[in-house]
Amino acid sequence: MGNLIVIRGNSGSGKTVTANALHEQLGENNLLIPQDYVRRTMLRVKDTPNNLAINLIKEMALFGIKNCRYTIVEGILPTSKYGQMLSEIINQAEKSFIYYYDLPFEETVKRHQGKTNPGFDEADLAKWFQPHDLLQVTGYR
């Protein structure tokens, strides 16, 4: 059984850069599951409650936990939509490492402005922003 790393946070918080660097550093036999890629590119679904990406991320994570040294799940992953699924996969791993980038809105805007081709604006960031969206999980390994 492998280990699970969950990296969550608002848009512009640095979670994708961190997840990509960690995936590269860990080397072979590690799985990276970016929420945006699964939802936007693979499935082309909106981030609504019970969207198809939630179950696909879960199935991919379970595969990774069974077959890889580390599985990294990365994204905004709001608790209201993804919390139950995350709680379920957290307890399936040998060890789980859960991180939340809890930055103020002003910092996420500042970081977003530094992107070369962001694809969305400050109004979108404000609409998506979830302050202090911590998972309420206990007893994970």
Side-chain angles (χ1 to χ4, degrees):
M1 219 175 8
N3 300 299
L4 177 68
I5 301 169
V6 177
I7 303 173
R8 302 173 55 246
N10 284 296
S11 183
S13 63
K15 64 196 172 304
T16 302
V17 171
T18 301
N20 287 334
L22 184 58
H23 186 241
E24 181 69 27
Q25 182 69 34
L26 290 171
E28 292 183 13
N29 197 24
N30 297 292
L31 176 62
L32 173 61
I33 306 169
Q35 174 200 4
D36 279 350
Y37 188 81
V38 172
R39 187 181 64 75
R40 291 181 182 170
T41 304
M42 294 175 71
L43 293 171
R44 297 182 138 202
V45 296
K46 295 196 181 296
D47 199 13
T48 58
N50 302 313
N51 73 73
L52 288 174
I54 298 168
N55 215 23
L56 183 54
I57 291 169
K58 178 181 178 180
E59 293 301 318
M60 292 170 68
L62 292 174
F63 172 88
I65 290 166
K66 282 177 102 174
N67 296 285
C68 300
R69 288 186 310 135
Y70 288 94
T71 298
I72 305 165
V73 178
E74 172 273 318
I76 296 175
L77 300 161
T79 300
S80 61
K81 298 172 193 163
Y82 296 82
Q84 180 174 340
M85 178 272 294
L86 291 170
S87 294
E88 291 171 12
I89 64 172
I90 285 167
N91 286 312
Q92 296 299 312
E94 185 173 326
K95 289 184 182 175
S96 294
F97 305 89
I98 316 304
Y99 302 93
Y100 180 73
Y101 285 36
D102 196 11
L103 302 175
F105 178 69
E106 296 76 25
E107 181 63 23
T108 63
V109 170
K110 181 179 160 186
R111 291 178 181 205
H112 175 72
Q113 290 169 344
K115 293 181 179 180
T116 55
N117 188 15
F120 45 87
D121 60 19
E122 188 173 333
D124 291 322
L125 288 174
K127 183 173 53 175
W128 302 327
F129 191 76
Q130 302 277 321
H132 317 299
D133 188 30
L134 302 175
L135 289 176
Q136 301 302 314
V137 294
T138 58
Y140 63 91
R141 298 170 279 206

Tab-separated table of all heavy atoms in Angstrom, residues 5-7 16-27 30 32 70-72 99:
chain	number	residue	atom	x	y	z
A	5	ILE	N	-0.600	12.015	-0.635
A	5	ILE	CA	-0.323	13.414	-0.343
A	5	ILE	C	-1.453	14.224	-0.959
A	5	ILE	O	-1.704	14.118	-2.159
A	5	ILE	CB	1.033	13.855	-0.926
A	5	ILE	CG1	2.164	12.998	-0.362
A	5	ILE	CG2	1.266	15.344	-0.653
A	5	ILE	CD1	3.486	13.178	-1.080
A	6	VAL	N	-2.146	15.005	-0.139
A	6	VAL	CA	-3.222	15.871	-0.620
A	6	VAL	C	-2.760	17.307	-0.429
A	6	VAL	O	-2.420	17.711	0.683
A	6	VAL	CB	-4.548	15.622	0.137
A	6	VAL	CG1	-5.624	16.584	-0.341
A	6	VAL	CG2	-5.001	14.175	-0.032
A	7	ILE	N	-2.744	18.069	-1.533
A	7	ILE	CA	-2.342	19.472	-1.495
A	7	ILE	C	-3.525	20.301	-1.998
A	7	ILE	O	-3.891	20.217	-3.171
A	7	ILE	CB	-1.093	19.734	-2.351
A	7	ILE	CG1	0.061	18.840	-1.895
A	7	ILE	CG2	-0.713	21.215	-2.307
A	7	ILE	CD1	1.291	18.906	-2.777
A	16	THR	N	-0.162	23.889	-7.242
A	16	THR	CA	0.185	23.175	-8.468
A	16	THR	C	1.696	23.156	-8.673
A	16	THR	O	2.263	22.104	-9.019
A	16	THR	CB	-0.522	23.808	-9.683
A	16	THR	OG1	-1.935	23.778	-9.447
A	16	THR	CG2	-0.211	23.063	-10.963
A	17	VAL	N	2.349	24.278	-8.442
A	17	VAL	CA	3.807	24.340	-8.565
A	17	VAL	C	4.453	23.367	-7.573
A	17	VAL	O	5.362	22.615	-7.925
A	17	VAL	CB	4.306	25.788	-8.330
A	17	VAL	CG1	5.821	25.836	-8.225
A	17	VAL	CG2	3.817	26.705	-9.438
A	18	THR	N	3.958	23.355	-6.352
A	18	THR	CA	4.489	22.451	-5.328
A	18	THR	C	4.256	20.994	-5.703
A	18	THR	O	5.171	20.160	-5.593
A	18	THR	CB	3.851	22.755	-3.960
A	18	THR	OG1	4.123	24.107	-3.611
A	18	THR	CG2	4.361	21.817	-2.880
A	19	ALA	N	3.041	20.671	-6.132
A	19	ALA	CA	2.717	19.284	-6.497
A	19	ALA	C	3.578	18.806	-7.666
A	19	ALA	O	4.077	17.674	-7.646
A	19	ALA	CB	1.236	19.158	-6.833
A	20	ASN	N	3.765	19.653	-8.669
A	20	ASN	CA	4.595	19.270	-9.813
A	20	ASN	C	6.052	19.060	-9.402
A	20	ASN	O	6.687	18.096	-9.834
A	20	ASN	CB	4.501	20.320	-10.920
A	20	ASN	CG	3.171	20.285	-11.637
A	20	ASN	OD1	2.490	19.260	-11.687
A	20	ASN	ND2	2.768	21.410	-12.181
A	21	ALA	N	6.579	19.941	-8.558
A	21	ALA	CA	7.965	19.798	-8.096
A	21	ALA	C	8.131	18.541	-7.242
A	21	ALA	O	9.117	17.811	-7.370
A	21	ALA	CB	8.375	21.043	-7.306
A	22	LEU	N	7.168	18.281	-6.390
A	22	LEU	CA	7.211	17.083	-5.551
A	22	LEU	C	7.140	15.820	-6.401
A	22	LEU	O	7.908	14.865	-6.184
A	22	LEU	CB	6.052	17.119	-4.553
A	22	LEU	CG	5.968	15.999	-3.530
A	22	LEU	CD1	7.234	15.931	-2.688
A	22	LEU	CD2	4.747	16.205	-2.646
A	23	HIS	N	6.269	15.815	-7.382
A	23	HIS	CA	6.144	14.668	-8.286
A	23	HIS	C	7.466	14.400	-8.996
A	23	HIS	O	7.905	13.248	-9.115
A	23	HIS	CB	5.015	14.941	-9.283
A	23	HIS	CG	4.688	13.791	-10.156
A	23	HIS	ND1	4.805	13.851	-11.521
A	23	HIS	CD2	4.241	12.563	-9.868
A	23	HIS	CE1	4.439	12.693	-12.044
A	23	HIS	NE2	4.096	11.886	-11.059
A	24	GLU	N	8.105	15.461	-9.455
A	24	GLU	CA	9.397	15.332	-10.126
A	24	GLU	C	10.454	14.807	-9.152
A	24	GLU	O	11.220	13.906	-9.482
A	24	GLU	CB	9.827	16.697	-10.674
A	24	GLU	CG	11.133	16.689	-11.416
A	24	GLU	CD	11.079	15.948	-12.737
A	24	GLU	OE1	10.007	15.861	-13.358
A	24	GLU	OE2	12.136	15.424	-13.145
A	25	GLN	N	10.479	15.336	-7.941
A	25	GLN	CA	11.471	14.951	-6.944
A	25	GLN	C	11.315	13.494	-6.506
A	25	GLN	O	12.306	12.796	-6.272
A	25	GLN	CB	11.361	15.871	-5.719
A	25	GLN	CG	12.368	15.614	-4.642
A	25	GLN	CD	13.786	15.985	-5.061
A	25	GLN	OE1	13.979	16.928	-5.807
A	25	GLN	NE2	14.754	15.239	-4.596
A	26	LEU	N	10.086	13.020	-6.414
A	26	LEU	CA	9.842	11.654	-5.944
A	26	LEU	C	10.253	10.602	-6.969
A	26	LEU	O	10.452	9.442	-6.624
A	26	LEU	CB	8.374	11.479	-5.558
A	26	LEU	CG	7.935	12.218	-4.302
A	26	LEU	CD1	6.419	12.159	-4.141
A	26	LEU	CD2	8.637	11.680	-3.074
A	27	GLY	N	10.349	10.966	-8.234
A	27	GLY	CA	10.826	10.050	-9.268
A	27	GLY	C	9.775	9.058	-9.726
A	27	GLY	O	8.579	9.330	-9.706
A	30	ASN	N	5.216	7.117	-9.019
A	30	ASN	CA	4.403	8.062	-8.265
A	30	ASN	C	3.349	8.626	-9.191
A	30	ASN	O	3.608	8.860	-10.362
A	30	ASN	CB	5.273	9.187	-7.705
A	30	ASN	CG	6.293	8.650	-6.735
A	30	ASN	OD1	5.934	8.197	-5.662
A	30	ASN	ND2	7.563	8.654	-7.128
A	32	LEU	N	0.503	11.631	-9.972
A	32	LEU	CA	0.023	12.985	-9.718
A	32	LEU	C	-1.365	13.123	-10.334
A	32	LEU	O	-1.553	12.846	-11.525
A	32	LEU	CB	0.971	14.022	-10.327
A	32	LEU	CG	0.504	15.478	-10.293
A	32	LEU	CD1	0.293	15.964	-8.864
A	32	LEU	CD2	1.516	16.365	-11.025
A	70	TYR	N	3.799	6.830	-3.954
A	70	TYR	CA	3.090	8.030	-3.530
A	70	TYR	C	2.036	8.391	-4.567
A	70	TYR	O	2.274	8.273	-5.763
A	70	TYR	CB	4.038	9.237	-3.377
A	70	TYR	CG	4.936	9.145	-2.181
A	70	TYR	CD1	6.213	8.603	-2.296
A	70	TYR	CD2	4.513	9.602	-0.938
A	70	TYR	CE1	7.051	8.521	-1.197
A	70	TYR	CE2	5.347	9.519	0.167
A	70	TYR	CZ	6.609	8.981	0.029
A	70	TYR	OH	7.437	8.897	1.119
A	71	THR	N	0.899	8.856	-4.072
A	71	THR	CA	-0.150	9.418	-4.917
A	71	THR	C	-0.389	10.833	-4.415
A	71	THR	O	-0.635	11.042	-3.229
A	71	THR	CB	-1.446	8.590	-4.822
A	71	THR	OG1	-1.169	7.268	-5.292
A	71	THR	CG2	-2.560	9.210	-5.642
A	72	ILE	N	-0.294	11.791	-5.334
A	72	ILE	CA	-0.485	13.197	-4.998
A	72	ILE	C	-1.794	13.659	-5.626
A	72	ILE	O	-1.970	13.559	-6.843
A	72	ILE	CB	0.665	14.067	-5.540
A	72	ILE	CG1	2.009	13.554	-5.044
A	72	ILE	CG2	0.446	15.531	-5.176
A	72	ILE	CD1	3.202	14.116	-5.811
A	99	TYR	N	-2.221	18.772	3.255
A	99	TYR	CA	-1.766	20.159	3.320
A	99	TYR	C	-2.828	21.084	2.735
A	99	TYR	O	-3.462	20.756	1.726
A	99	TYR	CB	-0.465	20.341	2.530
A	99	TYR	CG	0.636	19.435	3.031
A	99	TYR	CD1	0.845	18.186	2.451
A	99	TYR	CD2	1.426	19.814	4.106
A	99	TYR	CE1	1.839	17.344	2.925
A	99	TYR	CE2	2.430	18.978	4.586
A	99	TYR	CZ	2.626	17.744	3.988
A	99	TYR	OH	3.595	16.913	4.462
